[in-house]
């Protein structure tokens, strides 16, 4: 009986060690990729949001984005009129990421990045999904959600 329990204990310890090693390797490999995703997303947002140049969006768009939003010029005009030029990006991070191995494309990394930004006309929450495939980054999805202005109560406005 003791041998059976010892064997079960060793199997459990081995299982925990394998899971721990996989998590460690994922973190070791993933951290530089996350930093790359954050840098890429920030650079894209600064270039595109500066004056809402459609050519910048088209240069960074993946096939998935082009299929999902075939009228990028309308989207760009909407962002330009509703938000205005980008002034600053705050707290952009990419906490959600995963790796996929595809037969033809090799390894693909997807990262979902979020944060907040201040534009000339209003603040917005950023939600962007970027993909690294064959060593190249691209934008798969890009959303801006206006953050409502905080209205002060009459008591807070009183001097």
């Amino acid at each position: 009986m003791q041998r059976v329990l010892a064997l079960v204990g060793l199997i459990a310890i081995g299982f925990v060690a394998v899971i721990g090693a996989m998590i460690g390797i994922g973190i070791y490999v993933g951290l530089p990729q996350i930093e790359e995703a954050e840098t890429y997303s920030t650079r894209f947002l600064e270039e595109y949001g500066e004056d809402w140049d459609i050519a910048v969006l088209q240069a960074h768009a993946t096939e998935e984005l082009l299929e999902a939003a075939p009228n990028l010029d309308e989207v760009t005009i909407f962002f330009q009129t509703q938000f205005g030029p980008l002034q600053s990006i705050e707290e952009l991070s990419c906490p959600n990421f995963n790796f996929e191995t595809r037969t033809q494309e090799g390894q693909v990394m997807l990262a979902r990045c979020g944060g907040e930004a201040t534009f000339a006309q209003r603040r917005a929450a950023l939600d962007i999904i970027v993909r690294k495939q064959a060593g190249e980054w691209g934008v798969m999805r890009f959303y801006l959600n206006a953050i409502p202005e905080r209205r002060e109560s009459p008591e807070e406005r009183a001097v």
Side-chain angles (χ1 to χ4, degrees):
M1 183 67 171
Q2 286 181 335
R3 288 185 179 181
V4 171
L5 290 176
L7 181 62
V8 170
L10 284 174
I11 291 171
I13 290 171
F15 182 73
V16 170
V18 168
I19 296 296
M22 290 174 60
I23 291 171
I25 290 170
I27 290 172
Y28 179 75
V29 170
L31 284 177
Q33 299 293 325
I34 292 170
E35 290 175 7
E36 272 187 51
E38 290 171 352
T39 301
Y40 174 79
S41 298
T42 300
R43 188 170 34 91
F44 162 72
L45 291 167
E46 289 172 346
E47 288 177 28
Y48 181 49
E50 181 179 7
D51 59 357
W52 300 109
D53 183 1
I54 184 77
V56 172
L57 181 57
Q58 290 170 332
H60 290 272
T62 62
E63 307 82 46
E64 292 88 352
L65 178 59
L66 295 173
E67 288 174 11
N71 299 326
L72 293 179
D73 53 343
E74 292 176 13
V75 172
T76 299
I77 291 169
F78 176 80
F79 289 155
Q80 187 176 34
T81 58
Q82 294 298 310
F83 293 94
L86 176 69
Q87 294 178 335
S88 66
I89 299 172
E90 300 89 32
E91 304 175 25
L92 183 69
S93 64
C94 304
N96 300 320
F97 69 96
N98 66 319
F99 293 96
E100 297 176 2
T101 302
R102 301 178 184 168
T103 328
Q104 296 170 347
E105 295 93 6
Q107 190 174 43
V108 176
M109 181 198 177
L110 302 173
R112 184 173 197 153
C113 307
E116 293 184 1
T118 302
F119 296 88
Q121 297 175 6
R122 62 182 62 176
R123 290 185 45 74
L126 306 167
D127 188 11
I128 181 170
I129 300 174
V130 293
R131 177 187 74 194
K132 184 177 184 181
Q133 182 176 337
E136 295 291 323
W137 286 98
V139 177
M140 286 182 64
R141 297 283 186 266
F142 176 60
Y143 303 97
L144 287 179
N145 298 308
I147 298 174
E149 290 183 35
R150 183 175 168 261
R151 303 277 184 206
E152 295 179 352
S153 66
E155 296 83 26
E156 291 175 339
R157 285 185 275 168
V159 180

